Amino acid sequence: MPSVKILFAWRVVPVLALLVACAHGSSDEPTSEAEQLSTLYQRTCGGRTAQACFEQAERLRMGDGVAKDEARAATLHELGCNGDERRACVALGVLKEEGRGVAKDEAEAARLYARGCEQGLPEGCGHLALLYGEGRGVAKDLAQAVSFYERGCAGDDGLSCNNLGVLKLMGGFGVTQDVAAGMGMLVQACNRDVGVACLTVAREFDQGVRTRKDARLAASYFRTACGMGEKEACASASAAVAVKPEPAPAVTPEEGAKLEKIRAMCESGLGMACYVMGSAYEKGASVAVNPGRATMYYQRACDHDVPEACGDVRRMLGLTAEGAKTEEPKQSVLESLQLDPAKVAPEKPKQSVLESLQLDPARVGANAKPPRDPIERWTQQCQDGRGKADACTRLGKVLLLGSSGQKPDVAKAMLLLEQACNRRGVEACLQLWRVWSLGHNTEKVPKDERKGLSMLELGCSWPDGGEACERLGDAFFEDNLARALKIWQSACFEQEDRLSCAKLLIMTRKAVSNGPAELRTAAEQALPRYQAQGCKTRIKDECAALGLPMPKDVVRVRRLKVACDAGDPDACGELAQAYQQGREIEWDRAEEIRVAAQGCDGGSATACVQLAKYYRGVRGGAPLDLDAMLARAAQACSLKDATGCGLKARFLEEFGKLTADAPQVREARYLTCVYLPESRRRGPCEK
């Protein structure tokens, strides 16, 4: 059998020829060689995708079912990172930071972490923050460390929330001490399986220095930390009884497999699956009783808008009598931490719940006219053409899903989406591609990949069609690499699509490093041109390689700015999201909040939800603002948004101190169910 190196050299030559042809604008397509072409991933990961390559590398790194081989894992992670698999970049950074399987290189680790962070992976932000805080691989910069911890925790990275929580709890790195916020972040990290965070919370309750001393809560968190492998928690005197092993029930293989499937569904973000896992750990159904893990899963379910789970979190924390309803006002998870008023000065009581639901003139323009119902607005704009394709697209998606209180009407939805796609609505073309590629079983829309592909081709032809082109190139990649490369080249240069540029750069660099002399020279000449265009689309590494500054934004964001300034609230909502993510435009929290407020006041439920979560006091270390938080959640709910209504119900219970049976809470929960897509109106909604 030939070595991997020889096999690679044999199969890469046709690909290099195509790259050079693309670089010089050739229209020739050597289709006779198409079946012989394969990607670097196929050669190194057994024909798998970049994601599968990452998973294989992780198994090698941990020795999971295979012989442990960190050097091989590092090689595969490097290939995955070059293939734009952001998780591989961060995983490779960890290996380089610790010198496992590769030479120790903390500066390179910092660069890899930054790459993952810029691509929206919060774990990358957390690791990078740690290096800035300790001055390893980068110049020590405490302000930068805090900033990256904030970004990581905003993305729910456990490491970031733990470290930022400790800084806020104790005061450090220039962060003002805020015990309530710090404990909240530590609980968030504990819920993300960070054992040391659970241990810190347990110690705070056990010692009662910054929080109220509470042996019961201390024992609960010691038990949770012990279950996560924190030996010190298991040995704690305060947890002696709590960590006593519970007898594990007899479980059949079928029951075990079913529970693991539910656990995986929870990890993928399905709230009801997390709720079932919490119930299993609380009652000992197929697992040993573990109240700490039950609380953790209930909290995850609560975070995914399962209202019952929020009450179970409070019950598991001992805020209500076991098995009984309390007549006392319910508390929030942060309030359940029982912070000692003598040690943590609370804010003065603000307005009543009803008053807090009135929009604050200083924040949300209460004197302005209330925004129009979005369904009515989209319907009118779609009919008279003023909204171009965007309104038709949004209305079509609502009717396709049966969300926002509308009855599903797939036939009408498909008609609207086709109308929008024909009027340069790229998102509509993408939505049609998804429907035709997968089919729509509830309405018997048959799967038709040919029609789906035609929708991608049409979307790719429009000025904003970069994403459609990138996906169209993927569709041709296996069978006609020449065509895929041409599509990506066009999308990279004409539509400034970042992912298309990244894929061109990957292939060109392989040509430079592995091609014959004549092809290598041509690829070397083409590479600077591709790098310059990649930098233009905000690929950070390409800008650094050329010594160029990162552009402030990309063409799609500039168009959103124009539309937002022209009065399109939905464009403002999308622009605010772009600011928050920081991939297509420089991360700017102040500008994010400004355009989100503009969008929310104009009728964008997406913008209102974003503001409500911001004022919740978790994202990016933002201060808790009860008035603005409740007001924005109520606005989103009034705009027929299920997430907004779910947030409103949670906030009224947690911060408004209302019971689950209070009329306002019941109404918000009811509207949550009404506005959910029809396929998701199960579980609690059926009650």
Side-chain angles (χ1 to χ4, degrees):
M1 175 179 290
S3 68
V4 172
K5 183 176 180 181
I6 295 173
L7 183 64
F8 174 78
W10 170 66
R11 302 189 74 177
V12 80
V13 173
V15 178
L16 304 183
L18 288 173
L19 276 170
V20 174
C22 284
H24 291 278
S26 172
S27 60
D28 296 329
E29 294 184 8
T31 54
S32 60
E33 297 178 336
E35 294 182 356
Q36 301 180 38
L37 300 176
S38 62
T39 65
L40 184 59
Y41 302 123
Q42 291 173 318
R43 288 188 294 273
T44 57
C45 296
R48 300 170 185 170
T49 62
Q51 178 180 351
C53 192
F54 169 80
E55 293 168 354
Q56 181 179 339
E58 285 296 277
R59 286 194 293 273
L60 287 166
R61 182 180 66 82
M62 297 183 291
D64 181 10
V66 296
K68 187 174 182 178
D69 189 340
E70 292 180 331
R72 177 66 173 162
T75 299
L76 294 182
H77 276 320
E78 184 171 7
L79 293 172
C81 182
N82 290 336
D84 215 25
E85 171 55 63
R86 55 186 184 172
R87 294 176 302 168
C89 297
V90 174
L92 179 61
V94 172
L95 293 175
K96 286 183 176 288
E97 179 187 351
E98 300 173 1
R100 293 191 288 116
V102 290
K104 186 171 182 176
D105 189 339
E106 292 178 335
E108 178 64 11
R111 188 188 70 80
L112 290 165
Y113 292 151
R115 181 172 177 177
C117 181
E118 289 299 325
Q119 291 180 350
L121 195 66
E123 295 91 323
C125 303
H127 284 296
L128 183 59
L130 192 62
L131 294 184
Y132 270 110
E134 298 176 357
R136 293 189 291 112
V138 291
K140 188 171 183 177
D141 190 329
L142 301 185
Q144 278 280 61
V146 172
S147 175
F148 282 115
Y149 278 140
E150 289 175 345
R151 290 182 67 174
C153 189
D156 204 24
D157 171 50
L159 171 68
S160 299
C161 291
N162 175 74
N163 294 349
L164 185 60
V166 170
L167 291 177
K168 286 185 174 289
L169 180 68
M170 302 178 179
F173 284 20
V175 176
T176 303
Q177 186 178 27
D178 186 337
V179 175
M183 289 293 279
M185 290 176 179
L186 286 167
V187 169
Q188 184 180 354
C190 178
N191 289 335
R192 297 305 298 166
D193 293 335
V194 180
V196 69
C198 306
L199 180 59
T200 302
V201 173
R203 285 171 174 165
E204 291 298 312
F205 286 137
D206 186 43
Q207 299 167 2
V209 176
R210 282 172 286 263
T211 65
R212 181 167 299 171
K213 190 177 180 71
D214 190 312
R216 187 179 185 281
L217 285 175
S220 175
Y221 280 101
F222 273 128
R223 176 176 54 209
T224 303
C226 176
M228 295 180 184
E230 294 292 331
K231 295 182 179 180
E232 185 177 341
C234 302
S236 171
S238 299
V241 176
V243 300
K244 182 179 179 180
E246 293 282 350
V251 181
T252 66
E254 292 77 13
E255 291 173 337
K258 182 178 180 180
L259 193 68
E260 285 306 310
K261 185 176 181 180
I262 295 172
R263 193 194 308 272
M265 292 167 67
C266 170
E267 293 297 330
S268 68
L270 184 61
M272 281 306 300
C274 299
Y275 185 78
V276 172
M277 287 301 303
S279 180
Y281 274 110
E282 181 184 0
K283 299 175 182 178
S286 302
V287 291
V289 173
N290 189 328
R293 283 205 170 265
T295 306
M296 178 187 72
Y297 278 111
Y298 281 141
Q299 182 61 57
R300 288 189 184 179
C302 179
D303 291 340
H304 287 95
D305 301 317
V306 179
E308 285 80 354
C310 303
D312 285 318
V313 170
R314 290 186 289 277
R315 178 172 55 76
M316 295 299 293
L317 290 174
L319 302 178
T320 60
E322 196 70 29
K325 292 185 178 180
T326 178
E327 297 299 322
E328 296 295 324
K330 291 190 176 183
Q331 296 172 292
S332 68
V333 174
L334 283 180
E335 289 174 319
S336 76
L337 300 176
Q338 300 177 12
L339 303 182
D340 190 339
K343 297 169 183 172
V344 184
E347 295 183 10
K348 293 181 180 180
K350 294 190 177 181
Q351 299 168 303
S352 69
V353 173
L354 290 179
E355 289 174 330
S356 70
L357 292 178
Q358 297 174 2
L359 306 185
D360 186 338
R363 295 193 187 92
V364 293
N367 295 325
K369 293 182 180 179
R372 289 178 57 191
D373 180 292
I375 305 299
E376 294 179 2
R377 175 163 56 87
W378 294 336
T379 299
Q380 182 179 351
Q381 290 178 343
C382 182
Q383 289 174 346
D384 63 21
R386 288 189 294 110
K388 295 184 179 179
D390 295 339
C392 295
T393 301
R394 294 186 173 100
L395 184 60
K397 291 173 71 174
V398 164
L399 293 175
L400 185 68
L401 298 173
S403 59
S404 298
Q406 305 301 301
K407 290 183 179 180
D409 189 337
V410 176
K412 185 175 180 180
M414 296 291 282
L415 187 63
L416 287 169
L417 290 170
E418 288 179 14
Q419 178 183 350
C421 181
N422 287 322
R423 289 163 56 190
R424 302 193 175 191
V426 178
E427 179 55 38
C429 300
L430 288 165
Q431 185 64 51
L432 287 169
W433 164 67
R434 296 183 188 103
V435 173
W436 287 119
S437 297
L438 301 174
H440 200 292
N441 294 332
T442 58
E443 294 293 330
K444 298 182 180 179
V445 176
K447 181 178 179 180
D448 191 328
E449 294 183 352
R450 183 186 60 80
K451 285 187 177 180
L453 200 61
S454 69
M455 294 299 102
L456 278 185
E457 290 175 333
L458 182 56
C460 179
S461 69
W462 301 133
D464 289 333
E467 183 180 355
C469 292
E470 186 261 329
R471 293 180 182 273
L472 183 63
D474 288 345
F476 284 111
F477 191 73
E478 295 294 334
D479 299 323
N480 194 336
L481 181 57
R483 186 170 182 182
L485 290 170
K486 284 194 171 184
I487 291 170
W488 287 336
Q489 185 183 43
S490 175
C492 174
F493 283 89
E494 296 177 17
Q495 293 152 322
E496 297 185 14
D497 181 67
R498 185 172 179 271
L499 284 177
S500 296
C501 290
K503 290 175 180 179
L504 279 176
L505 283 161
I506 290 168
M507 301 300 288
T508 305
R509 285 197 167 91
K510 300 310 172 189
V512 170
S513 61
N514 296 286
E518 64 277 11
L519 295 179
R520 189 184 308 131
T521 300
E524 287 173 349
Q525 293 174 350
L527 182 59
R529 178 169 170 251
Y530 287 160
Q531 284 182 296
Q533 187 64 18
C535 176
K536 190 176 181 180
T537 63
R538 286 183 57 82
I539 300 179
K540 186 176 181 180
D541 289 349
E542 307 309 330
C543 294
L546 297 174
L548 298 174
M550 280 272 285
K552 292 184 178 181
D553 53 27
V554 297
V555 64
R556 189 185 82 88
V557 168
R558 291 194 289 273
R559 288 177 177 142
L560 285 176
K561 286 182 178 179
V562 172
C564 178
D565 292 340
D568 182 352
D570 299 304
C572 294
E574 290 185 41
L575 181 59
Q577 288 181 325
Y579 273 116
Q580 192 272 326
Q581 294 167 353
R583 290 195 295 270
E584 296 178 299
I585 191 171
E586 288 183 351
W587 192 58
D588 188 330
R589 180 51 51 79
E591 192 63 12
E592 172 199 342
I593 300 308
R594 184 190 71 78
V595 297
Q598 182 178 337
C600 180
D601 293 339
S604 167
T606 299
C608 295
V609 167
Q610 189 167 347
L611 285 173
K613 290 181 177 179
Y614 172 78
Y615 289 122
R616 170 65 175 80
V618 175
R619 283 185 44 197
L624 176 66
D625 189 327
L626 300 182
D627 288 333
M629 176 187 69
L630 284 166
R632 294 306 190 177
Q635 270 187 289
C637 186
S638 71
L639 294 168
K640 299 183 177 181
D641 183 84
T643 302
C645 296
L647 289 175
K648 178 181 175 181
R650 286 172 53 190
F651 293 163
L652 286 172
E653 285 191 83
E654 294 183 7
F655 298 98
K657 298 184 179 180
L658 296 182
T659 65
D661 294 329
Q664 300 97 317
V665 177
R666 294 181 65 184
E667 179 188 19
R669 286 185 176 178
Y670 169 75
L671 291 175
T672 301
C673 293
V674 170
Y675 298 150
L676 278 172
E678 187 180 62
S679 61
R680 293 178 56 194
R681 295 175 197 166
R682 301 189 184 97
C685 290
E686 291 177 342
K687 301 177 182 178

